[in-house]
Amino acid sequence: MSYELTDGTQGLIFNEPLLFEQGSDGRGGCALPDCDVPEKDVINLIPEDMLREEISGFPSLSEVDVVRHFTRLSQWNYSVDLGFYPLGSCTMKYNPKINEDVARLSGFSNVHPYQPEELSQGALQMMFELGEYLSEIGGMDRVSLQPAAGAHGELAGMMIIKAYHESKGENRHKVIIPDSAHGTNPASSTLCGYKVIELKSNGRGLLDPEAVEKAMDKDVAAFMITNPNTLGLFEENILEITEIVHRKGGLVYCDGANLNAIMGIARPGDMGVDVLHFNLHKTFSTPHGGGGPGAGPVGIKRELIPFMPVPVVEKNNIGQYKLNYKFPHSIGRVKAFYGNFGILVRAYTYIRTMGSEGLKKASETAVLNANYIMSQLKDYYHLPYDRQCMHESVFSDKFQNKNGITTLDIAKALIDYGFHPPTIYFPLIVKGAIMIEPTETESKDTMDRFIAAMKDIADRAEKDPDSLKKSPIKTKVTRLNETKAAREPNLRWINDYLMGVF
Amino acid sequence: MRYIPDTEKEQKEMLDSIGVKSVEGLFSSIPDSLRLKNPLSNIPHAMSEPEILRHMKGMSKKNADLDSHISFLSAGAYNHFIPSVVHHIISRSEFYTAYTPYQPEISQGTLQAIYEFQTLICQLTGMEVVNASMYDGASALAEAVLMAHRINDRKEVFLSKGIHPEYRQVVHTYCRYLGITLKEIPFSEKGIIDLEWLSKNISENTSGVAIQNPNFFGCVEDMADIEKLTHANDSIFIACVSEPVSLGILKSPGDFGADIVVGEGQGLGNPVSYGGPYLGLFATREKYIRSMPGRLVGRTVDANGKTGYVLTLSTREQHIRREKATSNICSNQALCALSATVYMALMGKEGFKKLSVLNLQKANYAKEILAGLKGYKIKFNSPVFNEFVIETPVSPDEINKNLMKEGIMGGLNLEKFYPELKNCMLICITENHRKEDIDRLWKLLKQY
Amino acid sequence: MDFPDGLLYTKEHEWVKVENGKAKIGITDYAQHELGDIVFVELPEVGSEVVAMEPFGVVESVKTVSDLFSPVSGEVVGVNSELEATPEIVNTSPYDKGWMVEVAMSDKNELKELFSADEYTKYVEEESQ
């Protein structure tokens, strides 16, 4: 490997045992106040047989112990703040710091969900306006902010569709989903009691209107589409497709995972989409947090409003904000309270910071960056659909396979160059897929270094494939034995003493 | 533009190497009729950093908050003290700007933290397997109901009316289209499950019995009796905990024989934040592991035999099993789970118990002195942890209006969720309330 | 790859060995190779009914999961309980120690629908291209 290509050197990485393997009885990390009310014997308050002994296994650590422990752990993570994270479909853009400060303002973070509406006007105003902004961006008529994540938004959206059809006395029980879809799409449909019909995309990576026409019948409740699709391609025939679905009485659901390609440029609502979910943790810069929390608001067209989750934030004619529960046809609630409020605050802040022109610029730049990387790498990696892409491109390991190098090897090798690997083995329709999404927040120099690393890996795959098989070598741990993890599940620490080892 | 680094010159270079003239040219696959001709009109112009900060501060000041007010509200969102360390750790961007740990070699921090979270929640709940977390307590309960149905294929589930009303609503939504019948178990005059009703109605058709402990009224349920009735019919015993701090002193649901324990982990180091993001807890027995939803982290070794952690048993999940997955859930609430992990580590064995006892003592003090007020009555004669229901001489709304003038947010008016509980207020006391706060409440309530 | 003579094969990559009117069923060498390290096998209980070309169980590797299709219909009379603790024997010994279920066939005509070793070899060659 040519080391000048890499940012990383071997850093100072500490080993750190589990919380449970350190500390000593009697230590504590928090100073609690003394009890200032007259105390009673606990057994006079709670019957003895409902009381527990000590919490067996809980650690005993000082504040310093705890801080060092988690600081050391943090250093084993790759993150957006550390470097390029071109994870396709996940839109790992930079997470602005101001958003974090705003979300932690006491007037947002210390607000109780059941305090009176008159004392929550700022929170309700923020939610109301965010709903309006998202409606505008997606071309939808109304947005529910309740769903906690993209998949949760899908569930709410598909239930709204089901409730809509039922209200018309129709018992449609099938949903059509393209073979390139995210796994959450079929799983969410199943939770609504739908049978999933898979539709194959054509040789150009797109959906054929003829195939949609053929698959659509009176039993189909909805067509679930992702546009741009998971190959990073815009469904050119989207208008024809949504027209077919509507003509046969179905509705169109759009997975908004890839909205970062089209903000301010085109709107799913104008394409005939009836329901659309947004991933605030992708498109709207809220942090991924190591796997969550995100937020998955769901936008709908006018005729579906009666079925949306309750409560709905509304503004009355004297400018007061209210929670409206009076939606007799609502699907109900998908979450307690009103949504992942702290995430909504961050997304709101982002939208206001970017403004209308900034959002458009973000999408334009995301698409430019993706095409730039694609143009630079297509002579080195197999590009199954060789056309302009939107915000991400999908390569495969076909060229490298002949030397025994797979997508997994390429991904693991990238780590040693100081980059997070792209999304791999998705979408499923491309064998050995490598899905690269740079986002708009990366500079040309960063991308150039990534491109150079990818080229170097392609070169090594030709000349010294074995060297790639060992990657990564610079990380705290090397490739992990996932087979062992699955065959002998060890999902919690157990005190050896309790296990009777001693 | 500060989040978009490329200059015009660099953009031009990139366009040249792609071989298109303008950025416009990259969008040619979008039909012209769909291209927006004008900017999005409803979205205001960009704000500078000082402007946005001023704007957001202004908006936040329109909300009352727990710094400006003394609050006796709870009902699934608990006002516990959050040590400074929690904020500092979760604000490390190595944690909050990382994605799901799909590349374990460069995600060991997140993975080990989740493994520790799973262990701590196992210890707290007395269970054997815990997942990496769910969206919140309500959706975790809904997933538990679906899991019970997966395990025994029975179609009827009993939900205690003492479960948080919004949790029950979420369960109803999740079950809407799956042919699962939900029945509500009424509460007795003691504010706990009507055991007689349960014993009369439970049968071999009952998939699961779900209860909350302490329940929505703050009362401690008779877990042992519920367990007996449930397991006598081979039904799944689902225990929900919305106030995890109670587990510092109450016997764990696992010890009472629960099959699935779900809960809300907000109380463990996460702010109330107007209702989210929170932390869904999900625990079960090893024998049910393959029916369980959500991510799991397992311990293994690397190629050199060194200990490491990975996401495991993921064939249950949507990205592999698609329409046959145990759930559609993809993300978890990793950062909230990290808060909880740091919080529990700080509290530790002794601190967590002390915290729990503080809540118990203070709430029971408040309960006792308020019960002595003329015109007031403790509604339910059951042991309570840190919440209790008090019957008021006038409407709680009226009382709360007056309390607000004193900078106090009173308890929840239960009529909102239980029309049969008129003039009833749910009051919560935590370690954040001083004796003088409680005495002040007593004094202000005395005037009615 | 090894596809022993005398066994019958399905398009879904299961094999059947007929002995004393009973059908022993497992997955082929090709199937175990494609799946990779097998970590879990879910099988029906003795006494349950299986239907030809319908799923009777599941086999999982780390990152994939596949339904197991029964080549024949009938009652399950035997289940390989070794697979519960040591699913890896499907990888090491797919035709012997790694067998999965034994079925008392209800319709022997169903066997006529299955591939011989030669036919299956050809089928696999075509599929892997």
Side-chain angles (χ1 to χ4, degrees):
Chain A
M1 184 193 321
S2 21
Y3 278 86
E4 60 272 21
L5 283 175
T6 77
D7 286 350
T9 59
Q10 201 79 38
L12 187 56
I13 292 178
F14 296 91
N15 285 317
E16 176 65 13
L18 292 166
L19 287 170
F20 318 99
E21 296 168 325
Q22 46 183 313
S24 89
D25 275 352
R27 260 188 226 171
C30 181
L32 288 164
D34 285 330
C35 190
D36 58 356
V37 300
E39 286 183 72
K40 295 216 162 133
D41 262 350
V42 168
I43 49 168
N44 289 335
L45 299 174
I46 307 272
E48 208 172 353
D49 57 357
M50 293 179 179
L51 293 172
R52 82 186 292 163
E53 304 287 318
E54 64 169 29
I55 306 174
S56 175
F58 247 44
S60 300
L61 302 164
S62 71
E63 178 168 328
V64 190
D65 294 333
V66 173
V67 169
R68 289 221 174 112
H69 176 78
F70 289 102
T71 305
R72 287 178 175 205
L73 259 56
S74 76
Q75 293 182 329
W76 306 341
N77 270 4
Y78 195 91
S79 62
V80 172
D81 280 6
L82 209 57
F84 189 42
Y85 218 126
L87 205 51
S89 219
C90 302
T91 316
M92 298 297 287
K93 61 170 77 175
Y94 172 70
N95 310 130
K97 302 303 150 195
I98 185 76
N99 300 358
E100 300 302 308
D101 287 355
V102 166
R104 290 199 176 100
L105 290 171
S106 189
F108 289 130
S109 65
N110 284 323
V111 178
H112 194 283
Y114 287 148
Q115 68 189 46
E117 286 169 14
E118 359 8 321
L119 297 175
S120 314
Q121 286 295 298
L124 293 171
Q125 181 190 347
M126 187 284 293
M127 292 172 73
F128 180 80
E129 290 179 359
L130 178 60
E132 300 268 289
Y133 299 155
L134 293 176
S135 296
E136 168 90 357
I137 293 166
M140 308 307 286
D141 291 320
R142 195 68 87 81
V143 167
S144 167
L145 301 171
Q146 202 175 91
H152 209 209
E154 286 174 24
L155 177 64
M158 293 309 285
M159 281 195 171
I160 290 170
I161 289 175
K162 183 120 177 173
Y164 166 81
H165 285 304
E166 282 191 349
S167 77
K168 292 174 62 184
E170 291 192 35
N171 182 25
R172 293 171 176 253
H173 64 273
K174 294 194 290 197
V175 169
I176 303 176
I177 301 178
D179 55 0
S180 56
H182 293 109
T184 49
N185 291 179
S188 301
S189 302
T190 305
L191 270 176
C192 299
Y194 283 127
K195 185 171 184 287
V196 173
I197 311 293
E198 197 176 271
L199 191 69
K200 285 206 180 343
S201 27
N202 66 21
R204 300 179 64 229
L206 299 174
L207 292 165
D208 273 330
E210 298 76 47
V212 177
E213 177 92 50
K214 228 172 122 189
M216 270 306 295
D217 60 31
K218 61 175 184 12
D219 291 330
V220 175
F223 189 84
M224 251 181 139
I225 195 169
T226 306
N227 197 21
N229 68 21
T230 57
L231 293 164
L233 305 173
F234 192 87
E235 292 288 352
E236 292 166 3
N237 298 314
I238 180 74
L239 275 173
E240 211 178 328
I241 290 168
T242 56
E243 196 273 325
I244 293 167
V245 176
H246 289 153
R247 182 158 33 84
K248 299 205 175 173
L251 294 177
V252 178
Y253 184 101
C254 180
D255 182 326
N258 296 338
L259 198 64
N260 207 43
I262 56 169
M263 278 189 297
I265 293 160
R267 312 192 304 173
D270 300 336
M271 303 170 198
V273 167
D274 301 292
V275 186
L276 165 77
H277 82 256
F278 302 82
N279 296 88
L280 300 189
H281 45 287
K282 297 180 180 174
T283 322
F284 298 96
S285 86
T286 76
H288 283 76
V298 61
I300 48 179
K301 286 285 177 63
R302 198 164 310 285
E303 63 275 18
L304 299 174
I305 292 175
F307 309 101
M308 70 193 287
V310 282
V312 177
V313 187
E314 290 179 350
K315 185 180 181 179
N316 68 15
N317 47 19
I318 51 167
Q320 289 165 330
Y321 298 94
K322 294 253 161 224
L323 290 166
N324 187 353
Y325 290 84
K326 293 193 191 92
F327 280 67
H329 302 288
S330 163
I331 58 162
R333 281 180 170 280
V334 292
K335 189 185 174 313
F337 311 116
Y338 324 114
N340 276 351
F341 180 79
I343 304 303
L344 306 178
V345 176
R346 290 170 172 88
Y348 178 97
T349 308
Y350 176 75
I351 292 173
R352 296 300 303 266
T353 304
M354 297 296 279
S356 164
E357 59 281 59
L359 294 175
K360 183 175 180 192
K361 178 86 181 162
S363 284
E364 286 176 345
T365 311
V367 171
L368 172 62
N369 287 355
N371 277 287
Y372 177 63
I373 291 183
M374 187 175 85
S375 71
Q376 299 301 301
L377 290 181
K378 67 179 186 185
D379 292 339
Y380 299 82
Y381 292 89
H382 173 239
L383 189 61
Y385 303 96
D386 185 3
R387 302 216 309 281
Q388 265 176 21
C389 64
M390 298 299 285
H391 66 303
E392 62 195 5
S393 61
V394 179
F395 290 92
S396 91
D397 58 359
K398 196 171 174 185
F399 295 167
Q400 287 72 34
N401 274 176
K402 60 180 191 299
N403 294 312
I405 293 301
T406 64
T407 290
L408 187 73
D409 300 322
I410 296 163
K412 297 301 182 192
L414 263 174
I415 294 174
D416 281 331
Y417 290 80
F419 297 105
H420 194 283
T423 292
I424 54 174
Y425 299 107
F426 183 82
L428 306 175
I429 52 171
V430 173
K431 194 166 175 280
I434 303 171
M435 189 189 211
I436 303 174
E437 180 182 9
T439 83
E440 73 280 8
T441 61
E442 298 303 323
S443 67
K444 180 169 176 292
D445 352 326
T446 302
M447 290 187 289
D448 283 339
R449 277 183 286 126
F450 172 77
I451 289 161
M454 286 292 283
K455 287 180 182 172
D456 198 49
I457 292 168
D459 189 48
R460 283 167 64 198
E462 292 287 331
K463 294 178 184 149
D464 184 13
D466 282 350
S467 73
L468 295 173
K469 287 278 173 198
K470 295 188 195 86
S471 311
I473 51 171
K474 292 187 184 178
T475 42
K476 179 174 178 284
V477 291
T478 54
R479 288 194 205 186
L480 288 148
N481 188 340
E482 300 194 35
T483 304
K484 177 182 159 71
R487 278 185 188 158
E488 308 153 28
N490 173 340
L491 308 172
R492 62 175 165 145
W493 178 85
I494 295 176
N495 191 327
D496 290 338
Y497 178 74
L498 294 177
M499 290 291 284
V501 170
F502 294 113
Chain B
M1 212 160 280
R2 61 200 164 116
Y3 311 144
I4 304 178
D6 282 331
T7 60
E8 247 173 70
K9 180 175 157 279
E10 287 160 326
Q11 300 222 342
K12 173 89 181 37
E13 283 168 22
M14 290 196 279
L15 286 169
D16 287 347
S17 41
I18 297 165
V20 289
K21 284 204 182 64
S22 66
V23 171
E24 281 283 287
L26 295 171
F27 291 90
S28 54
S29 57
I30 303 182
D32 206 42
S33 63
L34 289 174
R35 303 272 282 274
L36 292 174
K37 305 294 177 281
N38 298 308
L40 298 168
S41 56
N42 239 344
I43 295 175
H45 288 299
M47 278 180 168
S48 68
E49 187 158 334
E51 282 168 331
I52 184 75
L53 196 58
R54 195 176 309 128
H55 176 73
M56 296 310 284
K57 275 187 179 162
M59 211 181 246
S60 78
K61 282 183 185 143
K62 293 185 199 164
N63 300 320
D65 65 52
L66 300 175
D67 285 342
S68 60
H69 286 66
I70 294 167
S71 162
F72 295 95
L73 283 167
S74 56
Y78 295 91
N79 171 21
H80 287 299
F81 180 74
I82 303 174
S84 178
V85 170
V86 175
H87 166 73
H88 280 273
I89 296 294
I90 65 159
S91 298
R92 288 197 66 98
S93 57
E94 297 92 331
F95 283 125
Y96 82 84
T97 75
Y99 189 66
T100 303
Y102 285 134
Q103 296 290 342
E105 298 88 348
I106 44 173
S107 313
Q108 286 297 303
T110 298
L111 286 162
Q112 181 169 329
I114 295 175
Y115 181 83
E116 291 174 341
F117 168 79
Q118 291 174 180
T119 304
L120 287 162
I121 300 298
C122 277
Q123 293 163 348
L124 200 60
T125 57
M127 299 300 282
E128 294 161 358
V129 195
V130 164
N131 73 15
S133 67
M134 313 295 284
Y135 304 133
D136 67 352
S139 62
L141 177 65
E143 294 272 11
V145 166
L146 302 187
M147 175 168 153
H149 170 66
R150 269 198 300 280
I151 290 170
N152 57 25
D153 207 25
R154 300 181 187 178
K155 298 250 186 283
E156 163 196 86
V157 174
F158 288 166
L159 294 181
S160 153
K161 242 189 137 179
I163 294 176
H164 193 304
E166 294 194 3
Y167 292 15
R168 282 183 278 133
Q169 289 167 11
V170 173
V171 176
H172 276 274
T173 304
Y174 270 69
C175 292
R176 254 179 106 96
Y177 300 118
L178 299 176
I180 298 171
T181 311
L182 298 168
K183 288 187 179 158
E184 287 190 338
I185 314 169
F187 53 88
S188 70
E189 57 183 24
K190 290 176 76 183
I192 54 174
I193 275 194
D194 184 341
L195 280 172
E196 208 174 305
W197 187 95
L198 182 61
S199 70
K200 264 189 210 147
N201 286 275
I202 195 168
S203 72
E204 67 276 11
N205 299 321
T206 310
S207 170
V209 173
I211 60 99
Q212 179 178 317
N213 190 42
N215 67 21
F216 192 68
F217 310 126
C219 300
V220 180
E221 292 281 357
D222 200 337
M223 296 284 281
D225 285 347
I226 301 168
E227 185 272 336
K228 261 182 236 136
L229 281 172
T230 306
H231 284 157
N233 287 280
D234 285 329
S235 308
I236 298 289
F237 181 22
I238 303 169
C240 176
V241 182
S242 79
E243 169 49 304
V245 171
S246 67
L247 292 175
I249 183 158
L250 294 183
K251 195 190 237 183
S252 71
D255 274 354
F256 279 116
D259 300 296
I260 305 174
V261 178
V262 291
E264 176 51 69
Q266 173 270 328
L268 305 170
N270 286 285
V272 286
S273 193
Y274 207 54
Y278 285 4
L279 172 63
L281 308 176
F282 200 106
T284 187
R285 303 278 171 196
E286 261 162 27
K287 62 180 168 185
Y288 298 130
I289 195 166
R290 292 204 173 254
S291 306
M292 185 181 199
R295 289 177 180 152
L296 288 165
V297 170
R299 189 176 196 167
T300 184
V301 292
D302 75 357
N304 303 321
K306 212 167 157 188
T307 296
Y309 301 86
V310 290
L311 290 172
T312 191
L313 302 177
S314 43
T315 45
R316 301 162 296 113
E317 295 177 63
Q318 49 75 28
H319 61 282
I320 294 176
R321 205 170 282 219
R322 298 175 83 83
E323 69 270 18
K324 288 180 190 155
T326 52
S327 165
N328 73 331
I329 196 167
C330 174
S331 60
N332 63 324
Q333 304 282 103
L335 203 65
C336 303
L338 179 64
S339 295
T341 308
V342 178
Y343 181 86
M344 287 184 278
L346 284 169
M347 289 296 157
K349 196 185 278 180
E350 282 181 20
F352 201 84
K353 180 165 186 185
K354 185 178 172 191
L355 170 73
S356 199
V357 171
L358 263 179
N359 278 260
L360 176 81
Q361 293 286 2
K362 290 191 178 216
N364 278 282
Y365 168 74
K367 179 180 156 192
E368 190 176 302
I369 65 165
L370 295 182
L373 282 174
K374 202 164 153 249
Y376 291 84
K377 197 179 139 231
I378 296 301
K379 180 75 185 168
F380 302 120
N381 177 25
S382 284
V384 301
F385 175 62
N386 67 357
E387 290 165 284
F388 56 90
V389 178
I390 188 156
E391 225 178 307
T392 51
V394 295
S395 156
D397 288 346
E398 195 185 323
I399 295 175
N400 282 340
K401 221 170 260 169
N402 288 322
L403 285 175
M404 200 56 77
K405 291 179 196 147
E406 303 285 329
I408 292 175
M409 288 192 258
L412 182 75
N413 182 355
L414 283 179
E415 201 181 339
K416 175 178 156 129
F417 295 117
Y418 300 88
E420 67 271 40
L421 295 179
K422 280 207 173 28
N423 288 355
C424 283
M425 188 190 258
L426 176 70
I427 288 179
C428 174
I429 312 284
T430 72
E431 75 283 2
N432 274 341
H433 296 94
R434 298 163 303 174
K435 179 168 181 291
E436 58 192 271
D437 302 327
I438 301 168
D439 292 347
R440 203 161 141 227
L441 178 69
W442 174 81
K443 214 167 142 193
L444 289 166
L445 291 186
K446 206 175 158 186
Q447 57 186 289
Y448 296 96
Chain C
M1 224 156 280
D2 180 27
F3 306 129
D5 286 332
L7 304 188
L8 297 169
Y9 299 87
T10 71
K11 280 186 177 178
E12 305 288 343
H13 309 287
E14 288 85 12
W15 56 260
V16 195
K17 187 178 182 183
V18 182
E19 283 174 332
N20 313 325
K22 281 188 246 164
K24 212 174 209 181
I25 298 164
I27 65 169
T28 67
D29 197 18
Y30 174 78
Q32 72 77 18
H33 187 260
E34 285 292 297
L35 284 164
D37 288 344
I38 286 163
V39 298
F40 181 71
V41 184
E42 185 185 302
L43 297 174
E45 282 172 26
V46 169
S48 57
E49 293 286 323
V50 295
V51 180
M53 289 335 285
E54 286 196 9
F56 70 85
V58 172
V59 58
E60 293 182 9
S61 60
V62 177
K63 299 251 160 85
T64 56
V65 48
S66 289
D67 281 329
L68 295 164
F69 290 86
S70 179
V72 292
S73 307
E75 186 190 332
V76 177
V77 291
V79 171
N80 187 352
S81 55
E82 296 287 309
L83 298 182
E84 211 173 298
T86 52
E88 56 269 32
I89 56 180
V90 177
N91 290 117
T92 53
S93 174
Y95 300 108
D96 184 21
K97 287 184 185 142
W99 68 276
M100 290 175 175
V101 291
E102 203 168 24
V103 172
M105 288 182 285
S106 54
D107 180 5
K108 287 191 181 131
N109 284 325
E110 287 168 352
L111 294 171
K112 291 180 192 154
E113 306 292 318
L114 303 172
F115 288 138
S116 69
D118 281 350
E119 286 164 337
Y120 179 67
T121 309
K122 210 174 284 167
Y123 173 73
V124 167
E125 271 164 18
E126 278 164 20
E127 198 171 63
S128 52
Q129 265 163 25

